[in-house]
């Protein structure tokens, strides 16, 4: 049976935040709770990618996550790290070999206007 090598290092704890949808003036709005179940995972960060758009600095911080299979983890959910930063799950998480044992997915955090407006 296949076991990803990342499963040997599940040393990052994150809180799973599952959104609820409310109707706000006819438009669906996602609300994320402040608490949720703890997920232990292997967190491989790829650093941030800096871009300047309309004289504002934006950082896209991405990571690859490997963890135990949990059907509550879906596209659109967020993971909150212990430092308080929220990362949104991109795409549908991969159920490795469709065995419902391990899963992999990518997360992203967008930080806008990091140092104020860019000169020029």
């Amino acid at each position: 049976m296949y076991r990803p090598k990342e499963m040997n290092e599940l040393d990052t704890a994150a809180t799973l935040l599952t959104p609820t949808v409310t109707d706000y003036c006819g438009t669906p709005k996602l609300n994320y709770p402040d608490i949720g179940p703890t997920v232990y995972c292997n967190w491989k960060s790829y650093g941030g990618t800096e871009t300047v758009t309309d004289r504002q600095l934006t950082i896209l911080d991405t990571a690859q996550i490997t963890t135990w299979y949990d059907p509550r983890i879906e596209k659109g959910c967020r993971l909150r790290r212990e430092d308080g930063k929220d990362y949104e799950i991109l795409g549908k998480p991969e159920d490795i070999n469709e065995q419902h044992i391990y899963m992999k997915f990518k997360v992203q955090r967008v930080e806008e206007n990091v140092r104020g407006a860019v000169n020029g």
Side-chain angles (χ1 to χ4, degrees):
M1 179 185 312
Y2 172 74
R3 177 180 168 97
K5 64 180 179 176
E6 294 89 1
M7 293 303 293
N8 296 328
E9 299 174 358
L10 301 180
D11 54 359
T12 303
T15 303
L16 177 65
L17 306 176
T18 305
T20 57
V21 180
T22 58
D23 185 32
Y24 180 74
C25 297
T27 305
K29 182 179 179 187
L30 296 177
N31 296 313
Y32 292 90
D34 288 333
I35 58 171
T38 300
V39 176
Y40 291 94
C41 55
N42 178 277
W43 193 286
K44 287 187 180 175
S45 179
Y46 294 106
T49 303
E50 295 182 357
T51 59
V52 177
T53 306
D54 295 330
R55 297 179 53 179
Q56 290 195 4
L57 180 63
T58 302
I59 296 178
L60 298 176
D61 191 9
T62 58
Q64 176 79 35
I65 309 299
T66 305
T67 189
W68 294 105
Y69 178 81
D70 188 340
R72 298 174 294 186
I73 300 175
E74 299 176 339
K75 175 184 177 182
C77 292
R78 291 184 179 172
L79 290 179
R80 178 173 290 158
R81 294 194 45 163
E82 292 177 345
D83 59 7
K85 295 177 181 174
D86 289 352
Y87 291 79
E88 186 166 351
I89 297 174
L90 301 175
K92 182 180 177 187
E94 176 189 1
D95 178 9
I96 298 174
N97 290 337
E98 296 184 11
Q99 295 177 337
H100 301 316
I101 301 173
Y102 316 112
M103 65 188 331
K104 282 187 176 185
F105 52 91
K106 290 187 180 183
V107 295
Q108 175 177 289
R109 180 177 68 93
V110 178
E111 190 173 350
E112 295 179 349
N113 203 17
V114 179
R115 294 182 212 125
V118 177
N119 294 331

